[in-house]
Amino acid sequence: MPSNATPPARRRTSIGSRRNPETAAAVLAAARELLIEKGYAGFSVEEVARRAGAGKPSIYRWWPTKADLFVTLYGAEKTAAILVPDLGRVVDDLTRYTASLWRFWRTNPAGGAFRGLIAEAQTSEAALAALRVKFLPERLEPLRTIFGRAVERNDLNAADVEDRIALWVGFNWFRLLTDHVDDDVQAIARAMEIIAGPRASGPPGRPRSGSAR
Amino acid sequence: MPSNATPPARRRTSIGSRRNPETAAAVLAAARELLIEKGYAGFSVEEVARRAGAGKPSIYRWWPTKADLFVTLYGAEKTAAILVPDLGRVVDDLTRYTASLWRFWRTNPAGGAFRGLIAEAQTSEAALAALRVKFLPERLEPLRTIFGRAVERNDLNAADVEDRIALWVGFNWFRLLTDHVDDDVQAIARAMEIIAGPRASGPPGRPRSGSAR
Amino acid sequence: MPSNATPPARRRTSIGSRRNPETAAAVLAAARELLIEKGYAGFSVEEVARRAGAGKPSIYRWWPTKADLFVTLYGAEKTAAILVPDLGRVVDDLTRYTASLWRFWRTNPAGGAFRGLIAEAQTSEAALAALRVKFLPERLEPLRTIFGRAVERNDLNAADVEDRIALWVGFNWFRLLTDHVDDDVQAIARAMEIIAGPRASGPPGRPRSGSAR
Amino acid sequence: MPSNATPPARRRTSIGSRRNPETAAAVLAAARELLIEKGYAGFSVEEVARRAGAGKPSIYRWWPTKADLFVTLYGAEKTAAILVPDLGRVVDDLTRYTASLWRFWRTNPAGGAFRGLIAEAQTSEAALAALRVKFLPERLEPLRTIFGRAVERNDLNAADVEDRIALWVGFNWFRLLTDHVDDDVQAIARAMEIIAGPRASGPPGRPRSGSAR
DNA sequence: ACGTAAGCGAGACGGTACGTCAGGTCTTAGG
DNA sequence: CCTAAGACCTGACGTACCGTCTCGCTTACGT
């Protein structure tokens, strides 16, 4: 995608009654830049339109919600970004994947886009729906893959997976939303060891032995 | 303080050169109601001022940021709300405490206030700082108590506590921000069992023996 | 022409390299209906195209200006609508003709079309020219006929006619533009008696013999 | 009123909870200029706000409708503009007053404002109401004065006045809306002679004694 | 008989303006 | 010196139309 965004943007003209991919690209490029420059605060559809040399209605035609724009933006960045590791041990996979994800969040506008999406979801019902229905299921695929392998290896109980995924997501959100997605791999690893660890079950008072799985 | 908030609010006048506690109360009451009625979306300082029969500047004088208002509001609600259970087993304590917290979030404006604070923190550096410095440490005291007891009982390693707290916080945020703070105690318990469970450590390929701590 | 306009409109396709009269008819029918339904306010080319099942460019091809559309529309309605009365007395002719015209304006889209044309002329130089050059002269023919007969009868001076026509036009516009084209024939008659009456001339101070009471 | 309008407009600061007259003045000045520069076409609240260095909401607060803005604008110009002549003969008074009015329309933005008001009334019900209720009655006072004197002199029948006023208004609108408010006093005088002349009444077929030329 | 030229529905596009909403600042008047 | 009140600027929101443009189709006409 050419960086034809910020200056008034070379004149694009309509290509008729089908969507103009150049326009879409220009909008996304402008949104990307804006996110880098100003973060989620200071992000506005108005400004995106200005930079992209697009009309606001053209943006609203394709992204009826700011959230939709963030989703697309995030998707565009994520494409071909993070490999799902397969190191034979679930904690290692989780740690590496999480560390990669955080690096991605730190170095791309994606992190900002995601923060924006979550913030938006607090304000708009539509954004919340987008987050829950369109975004999360798709983005959690890698996690399911990693945990799925662990289940196949009999390292984890299949019934646990959703709970562990919820913990993983929460951990990541917490760090992202408090702007703490650093590169402390040790800290990540420690959290992952708990997420992937055995349950603390058994009779009260005795935290149990031979626990999980 | 009388609940004189929502209707045009009985006329308050200045009480001279000292802060008028009635005004502060009316503002908080109005904010409270608004949060209950419409949630964080649909919350605006403008509307609070309208309901409280106060001027916006009066609000901004005492709560320079929306986030400050949320902090006060959340604090006012939480006070004297949730007991820290002591059932002798960390999972049980966590489960009960979490369930209580979620009920609190569902039934008080507190949930909305907290969502608002987090959302605000994505936009404003000041709010983020407030969230991290003033808010979180204070609100996590109960958790430290619960985990502290477990450490004393030798059920958990002291070095783990911060990691487990982070997981617990993330889990709660995730649920809150996706509007999923239901009363499924089973689900809570399952998550808590993982949070309080042993680590998955040990040599690669061997998911651990004699695991946690 | 079938009244196939408002519902999505039976599919018309091109009839080759000549103008498709069905399309023109559908556009005019849709414009007609829209004007009846909503009046000039609420009239938009967009909506006409929607109702006619026509493309906007097809409309702009044949009516480069909204004003042109109104002109056509008004012309189409007026055709074969109002007879020029010949009652032997100019006031009676004027009164009857004016009353007929107002009824026509009330019951046809014509009134809306004319209001639209005048309004458009305030915005567009082209529309103003159309109004002055194409429209007015043609539409005033009946008036010239009526006054012409009066001149032949020696009831009026030929030199007066244009002035009286201007007064008549103004009176009608005033009523149309303030949405007051009612059916109060008495009021019309009174105005016509003045328009067709003798001039108030004579030396200053002496309003002239036999004059106004 | 200083011409402090077009450049971003020297920074005005609020004077507290009472309307800022500087703002009102700046808005009106900007509107005035815009009307002169571009006429009614090309007039937009947006542009007025831009030039006045005012926020759109500030404008809408005080002039809820574009029409209201035109009314104020017209009023501001008219103030101290046209004297009501008293020459002893109604035709002379009308002619002189009308000629003055047209000159005023030609040389001030007022003409544009009035055209805008009328055009607006075709589009918005509110504007139409403003035109009929607020504007016209007030602006026709001079006419009532002139005709009132004629009635007192027994030159005219009191019952005629409203009809003659309607004709006068229509004549003026016609000329204004077709951009024909020239300075042909002869033409004005001829029209006024008819407006102020005797009625053409009497038995059908006999246009009444002493009548038309 | 067939290529070309035009008309057509469709609808995306860049724009401009609309009227509204909220944020946060400022000033007044008064206690 | 604080307070209530609300005007103010700013800037974004999402919507409605404007008039232009291009597509891909269909048809009639001229060769």
Side-chain angles (χ1 to χ4, degrees):
Chain A
M1 169 201 352
S3 169
N4 63 351
T6 352
R10 120 181 138 51
R11 201 66 167 67
R12 274 168 288 98
T13 61
S14 170
I15 58 167
S17 83
R18 236 171 332 304
R19 179 177 192 178
N20 188 343
E22 278 187 69
T23 295
V27 167
L28 289 177
R32 206 185 117 91
E33 283 180 23
L34 188 53
L35 217 34
I36 291 173
E37 263 179 52
K38 313 220 184 144
Y40 169 63
F43 184 96
S44 76
V45 175
E46 193 110 16
E47 176 72 8
V48 171
R50 229 176 342 253
R51 292 188 180 212
K56 260 197 295 177
S58 299
I59 296 182
Y60 281 107
R61 183 163 18 250
W62 298 110
W63 298 278
T65 293
K66 239 207 262 198
D68 291 277
L69 189 49
F70 286 130
V71 169
T72 304
L73 208 51
Y74 191 83
E77 302 293 334
K78 185 113 176 207
T79 312
I82 305 177
L83 297 180
V84 181
D86 188 0
L87 306 170
R89 213 172 62 103
V90 64
V91 169
D92 296 339
D93 287 350
L94 285 174
T95 302
R96 177 163 299 190
Y97 183 75
T98 305
S100 300
L101 179 61
W102 289 15
R103 186 176 322 113
F104 171 66
W105 281 347
R106 281 196 308 275
T107 55
N108 280 66
F114 196 18
R115 287 179 74 175
L117 177 54
I118 295 175
E120 207 59 33
Q122 307 313 305
T123 281
S124 128
E125 203 53 55
L128 181 53
L131 177 61
R132 295 208 290 209
V133 177
K134 289 174 51 180
F135 192 84
L136 274 181
E138 178 184 349
R139 294 303 153 190
L140 294 182
E141 269 315 308
L143 263 285
R144 293 187 206 292
T145 303
I146 291 172
F147 280 117
R149 286 200 213 104
V151 169
E152 279 170 21
R153 283 193 302 262
N154 271 337
D155 288 350
L156 284 179
N157 188 332
D160 286 357
V161 169
E162 286 309 309
D163 298 324
R164 298 181 193 272
I165 286 180
L167 288 176
W168 182 85
V169 171
F171 179 66
N172 283 286
W173 283 29
F174 174 46
R175 294 299 209 113
L176 178 65
L177 295 176
T178 51
D179 204 15
H180 268 328
V181 284
D182 49 38
D183 61 349
D184 181 349
V185 181
Q186 299 306 319
I188 296 176
R190 290 199 310 273
M192 296 306 124
E193 283 170 12
I194 298 169
I195 288 177
R199 294 177 170 282
S201 61
R206 282 225 53 244
R208 168 199 46 90
S209 67
S211 80
R213 182 179 21 109
Chain B
M1 162 228 359
S3 167
N4 63 351
T6 356
R10 128 181 130 50
R11 201 70 166 65
R12 288 181 318 283
T13 60
S14 170
I15 58 169
S17 76
R18 240 171 345 294
R19 176 178 189 176
N20 188 341
E22 278 187 68
T23 295
V27 167
L28 288 177
R32 216 186 107 88
E33 284 180 22
L34 188 52
L35 229 25
I36 290 172
E37 262 180 52
K38 314 223 185 141
Y40 169 60
F43 181 96
S44 75
V45 175
E46 195 106 19
E47 175 73 8
V48 171
R50 218 170 359 247
R51 291 189 182 213
K56 272 197 287 177
S58 301
I59 297 182
Y60 280 107
R61 188 169 3 261
W62 299 108
W63 297 276
T65 295
K66 245 211 263 194
D68 291 278
L69 187 49
F70 289 132
V71 169
T72 304
L73 211 50
Y74 191 73
E77 301 292 334
K78 182 109 176 212
T79 315
I82 305 178
L83 298 179
V84 181
D86 188 359
L87 306 170
R89 211 171 63 103
V90 65
V91 169
D92 297 338
D93 288 350
L94 286 174
T95 302
R96 178 164 296 190
Y97 183 75
T98 306
S100 300
L101 179 62
W102 289 14
R103 186 174 324 111
F104 171 66
W105 280 347
R106 282 197 308 274
T107 56
N108 281 65
F114 198 20
R115 284 178 78 174
L117 179 53
I118 297 175
E120 214 58 36
Q122 308 315 305
T123 280
S124 125
E125 206 51 57
L128 181 53
L131 179 59
R132 294 207 291 207
V133 177
K134 289 177 49 181
F135 198 82
L136 270 181
E138 177 184 351
R139 295 301 152 190
L140 293 182
E141 270 315 310
L143 262 285
R144 291 188 207 292
T145 304
I146 291 172
F147 280 118
R149 288 200 213 102
V151 168
E152 281 171 18
R153 285 194 300 265
N154 271 335
D155 288 349
L156 284 179
N157 189 331
D160 284 357
V161 168
E162 285 309 309
D163 297 325
R164 298 182 193 272
I165 286 181
L167 288 176
W168 181 84
V169 171
F171 180 67
N172 283 288
W173 283 29
F174 173 47
R175 293 299 210 115
L176 178 65
L177 296 175
T178 51
D179 204 14
H180 269 328
V181 283
D182 49 38
D183 61 350
D184 181 349
V185 181
Q186 299 306 320
I188 297 176
R190 289 199 311 273
M192 296 306 124
E193 284 169 12
I194 297 168
I195 289 177
R199 293 177 171 281
S201 58
R206 282 223 51 246
R208 148 214 59 87
S209 64
S211 78
R213 185 165 31 86
Chain C
M1 165 220 356
S3 169
N4 63 350
T6 356
R10 132 183 125 49
R11 199 71 165 67
R12 285 182 317 283
T13 61
S14 169
I15 58 167
S17 72
R18 237 171 348 298
R19 177 178 188 177
N20 187 343
E22 278 188 69
T23 293
V27 167
L28 289 178
R32 216 185 107 89
E33 284 180 22
L34 188 53
L35 229 25
I36 290 174
E37 263 180 53
K38 315 224 186 138
Y40 169 61
F43 182 95
S44 76
V45 174
E46 196 107 18
E47 176 72 8
V48 170
R50 226 177 345 255
R51 292 190 181 211
K56 271 198 286 177
S58 300
I59 297 181
Y60 281 106
R61 190 172 0 261
W62 300 110
W63 297 277
T65 295
K66 246 212 257 195
D68 290 278
L69 188 49
F70 289 131
V71 168
T72 304
L73 212 48
Y74 190 73
E77 299 292 334
K78 182 110 175 210
T79 314
I82 304 178
L83 296 180
V84 181
D86 187 0
L87 306 171
R89 214 171 62 100
V90 63
V91 169
D92 296 339
D93 287 350
L94 285 174
T95 302
R96 178 164 295 190
Y97 184 75
T98 306
S100 299
L101 179 61
W102 288 14
R103 186 174 324 113
F104 172 66
W105 280 347
R106 284 197 308 274
T107 55
N108 282 64
F114 198 19
R115 284 179 79 172
L117 178 53
I118 297 174
E120 214 57 36
Q122 308 314 306
T123 281
S124 126
E125 206 51 59
L128 182 53
L131 178 60
R132 295 208 291 206
V133 177
K134 288 177 51 181
F135 197 81
L136 271 182
E138 177 184 350
R139 294 301 151 191
L140 293 182
E141 269 315 309
L143 261 285
R144 291 187 206 294
T145 303
I146 291 172
F147 280 118
R149 285 199 215 106
V151 168
E152 280 171 18
R153 282 194 303 263
N154 272 333
D155 289 349
L156 284 179
N157 188 331
D160 283 358
V161 169
E162 285 308 309
D163 297 325
R164 298 181 193 273
I165 286 180
L167 287 177
W168 181 84
V169 171
F171 180 65
N172 283 288
W173 282 30
F174 173 46
R175 294 299 210 113
L176 177 65
L177 295 176
T178 52
D179 205 13
H180 268 329
V181 284
D182 48 37
D183 60 351
D184 182 349
V185 181
Q186 298 307 318
I188 297 176
R190 288 198 312 272
M192 295 307 125
E193 283 169 13
I194 298 168
I195 289 178
R199 293 177 171 283
S201 57
R206 283 222 53 243
R208 170 192 44 87
S209 74
S211 84
R213 164 145 355 139
Chain D
M1 168 200 356
S3 168
N4 63 352
T6 352
R10 124 183 136 48
R11 199 67 167 70
R12 275 166 288 94
T13 61
S14 170
I15 57 166
S17 85
R18 233 169 334 306
R19 179 176 191 180
N20 187 342
E22 278 187 68
T23 294
V27 167
L28 289 177
R32 208 186 116 90
E33 284 181 21
L34 189 52
L35 220 33
I36 291 172
E37 264 179 50
K38 313 218 185 146
Y40 169 62
F43 184 96
S44 76
V45 174
E46 194 108 18
E47 176 73 8
V48 170
R50 231 181 335 259
R51 292 188 181 211
K56 262 195 295 177
S58 299
I59 296 182
Y60 280 107
R61 188 170 5 259
W62 298 109
W63 297 277
T65 294
K66 241 207 261 196
D68 291 277
L69 189 48
F70 287 131
V71 169
T72 304
L73 208 51
Y74 190 82
E77 301 292 335
K78 183 110 175 213
T79 313
I82 305 178
L83 298 180
V84 181
D86 187 0
L87 306 171
R89 214 171 62 103
V90 64
V91 170
D92 297 339
D93 287 351
L94 286 174
T95 302
R96 179 164 297 190
Y97 183 75
T98 306
S100 300
L101 179 61
W102 289 16
R103 187 174 323 113
F104 171 66
W105 280 348
R106 282 197 308 274
T107 56
N108 281 66
F114 196 18
R115 287 178 75 174
L117 176 54
I118 296 175
E120 209 57 33
Q122 309 313 306
T123 281
S124 128
E125 204 52 55
L128 182 53
L131 177 60
R132 294 207 291 208
V133 177
K134 290 174 51 179
F135 193 84
L136 272 181
E138 179 183 349
R139 293 303 153 189
L140 293 182
E141 270 314 309
L143 262 286
R144 292 187 205 291
T145 303
I146 292 172
F147 279 117
R149 287 200 213 105
V151 168
E152 280 170 20
R153 283 193 304 261
N154 271 336
D155 288 350
L156 284 179
N157 188 331
D160 285 359
V161 168
E162 286 308 310
D163 297 326
R164 297 181 193 273
I165 287 180
L167 287 177
W168 182 83
V169 171
F171 180 65
N172 283 287
W173 284 28
F174 173 46
R175 293 301 208 113
L176 178 65
L177 296 176
T178 51
D179 205 14
H180 268 329
V181 284
D182 48 38
D183 60 349
D184 181 349
V185 182
Q186 298 306 318
I188 297 177
R190 289 198 312 270
M192 294 306 124
E193 284 170 12
I194 298 169
I195 289 178
R199 293 176 170 282
S201 59
R206 282 225 54 246
R208 174 193 43 89
S209 74
S211 84
R213 172 127 0 216

